[in-house]
Amino acid sequence: MTLALPREVILTETESGVVLLNEKDGRFWRLNGSGATVLRLLLEGRTPREAAEELSAAGPQFLERATADVHGLVDALRSAGLLVAEAP
């Protein structure tokens, strides 16, 4: 499963992360630097597990927390309609 932004969602880089704008309803969301990194990795085709491994590069003791954080972000973005699954 590959994750992508829906057609109506625009991603804009900022100094501190990214902003996602849903042109359909005019709502926007801000992601900090870590959230932006995770989103970029997912949009490049990495799995949530791979994104968590990259986030926890400072040490394997952080992998469990990073995995929970990545899954939480994916769930929140999907619930808000900002991230969708695409068939391969």
Side-chain angles (χ1 to χ4, degrees), residues 46-82:
R46 308 263 183 92
T47 66
R49 175 68 179 196
E50 291 168 334
E53 288 171 352
E54 187 150 332
L55 277 185
S56 66
Q61 70 272 22
F62 301 113
L63 181 58
E64 186 176 327
R65 175 58 191 244
T67 300
D69 289 348
V70 168
H71 284 286
L73 179 62
V74 169
D75 291 345
L77 292 174
R78 289 185 78 181
S79 293
L82 300 172

Side-chain angles (χ1 to χ4, degrees), residues 38-49:
V38 170
L39 181 59
R40 284 186 208 102
L41 292 169
L42 296 171
L43 295 176
E44 289 172 2
R46 308 263 183 92
T47 66
R49 175 68 179 196

Side-chain angles (χ1 to χ4, degrees), residues 21-34:
L21 170 66
N22 185 332
E23 290 186 310
K24 189 175 184 178
D25 63 15
R27 295 179 65 191
F28 68 93
W29 290 260
R30 293 180 203 176
L31 298 181
N32 65 17
S34 296

Side-chain angles (χ1 to χ4, degrees), residues 7-23:
R7 189 174 324 158
E8 65 272 7
V9 175
I10 296 173
L11 182 146
T12 302
E13 300 283 337
T14 68
E15 288 182 21
S16 60
V18 298
V19 172
L20 298 169
L21 170 66
N22 185 332
E23 290 186 310

